[in-house]
Amino acid sequence: MKVITMLNGSLSSEAVAFYALKFCKVHDFELELLHIKNKKDSIASVENSMETVETLAKAMEVKTVRKFFGGFNEREFIRHVETGYVDTIFSSSRAKKSLFKDSFSEKIVKLSLDCDIAVVRVVNLSMVNNVDAILLPIQEARLSAGKFSLFATMAKTYEAEAEIYSITLTSRKELAKEGLEETKKRLLKIDTKLSHYKKLANLAQFPYKIKHAYSLDEMKQILHHGVRKKSGLIIFGAKRYSFFSIFNLKRFMIEKLMKETPINLIAYYPKSER
Amino acid sequence: MNFYSQPIEKIFSGFKTSKEGPLKKEVKKRVEEFGENVLQSEEKKSYLAAYIKQYTQFFAVLLEIAALLSLVADYYVPGEGSDILSYAIICAVVINATFSFWQEYKADKAMEALLKLMPTIVKVKREGKVIEVDSKEIVVGDILMLEEGDKIAADGVLFESSSLYINISSLNGESKPSKRENEPKNAKTPLEAKNMVFAGTTVISGSGTAVVIATGQATEFGKIASLTKNVEKTVTPIQKEIMRITHILTIIAILMGIVFFALGLMSEKGFLMASIFALSLIVANVPEGMLPTITLALSMASQRMARRNALIKNLDSVQTLGSATVICTDKTGTLTKNEMTAKALYLSSGEHIEITGSGYFESGTFIYKEGQDDFQKVKKFLTFAAVNTHALIEEDKTVGDPTELAIVAASKKAQIEVKNIEKIEEFPFTSERKMMSTFAKIGGEEVLCSKGAPEIILDLCSSYLNETGKVEAIKEEARKKFADEALAFEKRAFRVLAVAFKNGNREERDLTFAGFVAIMDLPRPEVKEALAKCKSAGIRTMMITGDNPHTAEAVARDIELDYDKVYTGDMVEEISEEKLAEELKEQNIIFSRMSSNQKLKIAMALQNNGEVVAMTGDGVNDAPALKKADIGVAMGRSGTEVAKEAADMILLDDNFSSIVAAIEEGRTVYYNIKKFVTYILASNVPEIIPYILQFFFKIPLPLSVIQILSIDLGTDMFPGVALGSEKPEKNIMKQAPVGKYDKIMDWEVFKRGYFFLGLIEATASMVAFISFLLLHGWEYGQVDLADPYLHRQAMTMTLLGAVSCQMLNVWTIRSWEFPAWSVGFLSNKLLLIAMVVEGTWIWMLLNWEPAQKVFNTAHVPLSELWILLPFPILLFVSHELYKYRRRVKVAKIKSEK
């Protein structure tokens, strides 16, 4: 199997390739360095980036292959993914986006691609190499195997402190009403639901912590906790876009999170939830 | 490997830049990629939306429906005064909404203050050229050109520097300039790396060149800003309580309304009459004046607090203060005066000398041990010390470092004028050398005077001044003795400086040791009493300081602060939040060597234990902890703007005892609100009962809805406000803190308000109404009176029955526990004014025609008012007896315990 990382010669796409490399290393995947030609990107910069990644890959003993597309063609891209036995596509996300035109990462999360997609927002290049703590925020006990495996991979490869941050959304009124006993019960229920991941983690000798929080605003809570815990990377579960995505409030939250995060962030779009 | 530990070439290649800076076309791309170099600001709050929201609160909606129903009633049955009633209800809603909105108007400006710290124009190198750009255009890979006075625009790694010192207090609270170099020097975190410069900090001196590695929100400064922005403020107890009271009373009102509406329909009163009847009951149940009165009480309390040097930014915080169970306080400036004072000298000849007088301006003398009185020795020693200072003390102002000021103040006590001494050359203090020297002409002789850390100076000394005043070589034994003397001072929380000299030579070696000067930041005299007050009030006090554990402990002992353990910042960093919470459950901990960002962890751990935390702070980095704490307390004098913006309360004098005073006011407010809620509820009963009686018995309507409003918004409002300004009761700081889950409207309030005082008032109203009618020839069964004037007179009697009782109720409810007379009848001027206003109001209702028209009242001769007399007296006496019984009961429980 292989992993595709999208390169356009920018610093952040190079940083994303580094995350992809780490992922490939653990799972023994091949890394495809894919560039889709367009007017904006300089081929020289792209090739320069590819060279940098290849040098790193060589040192990490990861096999790489270069691939260039003449332009973005949905069908061609889908076929490439289908025939290429692709596990995950890594793509970077920029700070500035057009209001009316989808960015590349937005385009691919709309496609029916039979692979997982990791859209990475790199805000701090110095955090790419060195990650001491990784955070996986989830809503209560909503955790998919795919999300967990990406989280575990990243945490293991960086040898970083791993934490699952279970957030229970509540209202001020509910927060004021709930007593200690109810809180204990609720948290115990979440822990019980997540217990099979604990067993898996024990098998893989991957230690992680679970923390709980009540919050009125999920995004604020994640950012606050991430900064406080000095996390170097946040992995966040997201849903693939559809026609109805315009009504998907979580999509707006993820976009806001991507815009305001002071920490590098991976929005993970699993194929299973397509 | 950390990026800042990497060779600079590797950093350049990682960021695709060089010493000459990035290519200009690359800059544009990077702005698109990483965004502008700005902090994300909080979305602006719409005040209009906030104001409109007030009209959607429970009480407001209820009254709005009532007003609407009145208008409908007026449409179908005009001329009954329903229109006036609806306007009056709308007035009540507007008053409520406006006052409540005022509370929310205090917008949080922490983010704006942070933004103000960011520079606008900065010098960068791009394509080999130094250019000036707007700071928001800075991108990663840019080369920052730093000079003295510059505000740094982004995080960067230095590759060239010359005597570069930056002030990083905005990040770690450390006010001492921090030297920057080209090497990271074994740093574990970016903040510790000496080759890093940070956004939001300032260049104090020197120059440097750095490559930008993070911009905007991704900088260390941006992360702190993000912490401040993303801390969720918890709901204050008063907000919760207001919500709860509103819900309870609304439910009672609606239930009563529904029940009597149904009964009305069943008793064939007709839909319209049944609706009006239900509406009257709802209005009678809603205490219209309560919410604005609570706001006013909180507002007045905040004004009283300001007079006691505690400026409250958020009205809700006033009551939260009453619930405070833990105060986490800084040491310097809060528990101590933040004025260094030289308190003792140790001369190498063996003399211990104490110095009296504290601070920089007080006069003082030198106290010698018996037989050691030698002023000339002291003068010589202090001259050597004072030559090495730049501080100035003039009539009422001081300039310079606090430690140097302490030495200058001590030398003034010895009549030494440093400015008369000719300084020839100076060897400045650096953090590496930990000492400074001055070559000066003293008494015609050229002398090198040195001052610095004891271990450094002693190492450079080869001799000392002995008992006879002669220079003698230091033997190991003497060296050890001097070191022990220094340690003994340090253990007593003194900052110790060693002083040495050398004649005729400028080399800083082979010095002659002269002695030590012991300096201390003295505790504030009022702190001991404040701490004792906290203890008796069940409030734990924990000291959080950047000083070392020895100093922290010594100060704690000095001010008699109880503590079980001393933790250092490193220990707090290592321990988990759960473990810290566990430790904090039972024990009082002193936190030493703390950096500001560890405060947040302490605040959260305490809050997890259910504590209500008041936390002090002054630095930018304290802002998240101040926001998270239940009560964030910023220092008015030494605090940064960001800390002040993030805090709920600002201490104008930085004094710990002002926090305690504010807590006392907070508790007072809690009980005052309890008192006037009871007072207001008591008058609800005589407003409800007449309607219920009229429903079941064949009597005329005893009280109109407009008359109910005249009580709630007229006669009750001013005494209610006056109750809100009652002074603290004598035992207020001898009780346990108001529990986080203690309710203002508890069973006691219900019992006293509704079932005790309220029932007496209802009896008074109904007895006044019925007996007045009977005295004027009315017979039971006559529902519609032939004489409307008589009906209005009788309704006025009902109104007066309630109001007269409330007039004495306000005097007896002034103290929740103690006799009314123990509070002092003249101690609350506002109450006296309220009595005059209430008297005038009653006079108007009885004698002024326009008021009579609006409120449907009529003149009642004085000779007929005697009926009202016994009830207020009965209410007053029986409530005093009730309180007496309660006191006996409480005393019994206490003695049993």
Side-chain angles (χ1 to χ4, degrees), chain B residues 55-125:
Chain B
Y55 290 92
T56 60
Q57 308 285 1
F58 258 64
F59 274 174
V61 172
L62 208 60
L63 291 176
E64 282 153 17
I65 295 169
L68 195 71
L69 285 174
S70 295
L71 279 178
V72 173
D74 185 62
Y75 179 78
Y76 287 108
V77 193
E80 293 284 309
S82 299
D83 53 342
I84 296 172
L85 173 63
S86 72
Y87 301 142
I89 296 174
I90 289 165
C91 273
V93 175
V94 173
I95 291 169
N96 263 325
T98 309
F99 274 109
S100 307
F101 168 71
W102 183 244
Q103 284 182 47
E104 290 183 15
Y105 188 69
K106 318 267 178 187
D108 193 340
K109 289 181 180 163
M111 188 55 62
E112 278 174 36
L114 278 168
L115 285 168
K116 274 182 205 156
L117 288 177
M118 298 292 275
T120 49
I121 298 293
V122 281
K123 273 186 192 165
V124 291
K125 206 186 221 183

Side-chain angles (χ1 to χ4, degrees), chain A residues 85-97:
Chain A
Y85 203 36
V86 176
D87 179 84
T88 310
I89 300 174
F90 279 79
S91 173
S92 65
S93 162
R94 290 181 312 177
K96 286 199 174 174
K97 284 181 192 168

Side-chain angles (χ1 to χ4, degrees), chain A residues 8-14 40-42 45 48-49 52 93-97 121-127 129-130 132 172-173 175-176 178 180 209 211 214-221 223-225 227-231 256 259-263, chain B residues 1-3 6 13-16 26 29-36 40-43 58 140 189 213-215 217-219 222-224 226-236 239-240 243 247 573 576-578 597 600-601 604 624 628 741:
Chain A
N8 63 358
S10 68
L11 279 173
S12 46
S13 72
E14 225 172 84
K40 273 187 176 177
D41 303 330
S42 120
S45 312
N48 188 281
S49 284
T52 312
S93 162
R94 290 181 312 177
K96 286 199 174 174
K97 284 181 192 168
R121 170 91 171 97
V122 179
V123 290
N124 201 327
L125 289 167
S126 51
M127 280 183 186
N129 232 328
N130 200 353
D132 293 329
R172 284 180 169 222
K173 245 188 268 172
L175 199 62
E178 188 156 294
L180 200 63
K209 281 183 195 162
K211 283 230 165 162
Y214 281 88
S215 179
L216 313 178
D217 185 326
E218 194 180 0
M219 190 201 80
K220 279 186 175 182
Q221 190 71 31
L223 291 186
H224 179 258
H225 189 71
V227 172
R228 211 172 67 76
K229 284 281 167 186
K230 294 179 181 144
S231 305
K256 206 163 180 244
K259 198 176 160 207
E260 297 193 3
T261 180
I263 302 162
Chain B
M1 193 196 249
N2 286 313
F3 60 95
Q6 292 175 354
S13 93
F15 286 88
K16 294 212 164 118
E26 190 65 22
K29 274 189 186 172
R30 290 186 188 182
V31 172
E32 282 182 2
E33 225 179 311
F34 297 98
E36 287 184 332
Q40 302 283 348
S41 57
E42 201 104 45
E43 287 138 28
F58 258 64
V140 286
T189 62
I213 58 150
T215 56
Q217 209 73 6
T219 60
K223 285 179 199 165
I224 293 174
S226 153
L227 272 182
T228 311
K229 190 181 140 196
N230 292 319
V231 169
E232 274 176 10
K233 197 78 189 158
T234 43
V235 190
T236 61
Q239 283 171 334
K240 281 184 205 165
M243 242 191 281
H247 286 184
E573 198 66 46
S576 71
E577 213 168 282
E578 293 76 14
N597 51 358
L600 183 64
K601 193 170 178 179
M604 290 171 91
K628 183 68 195 167
Y741 301 105

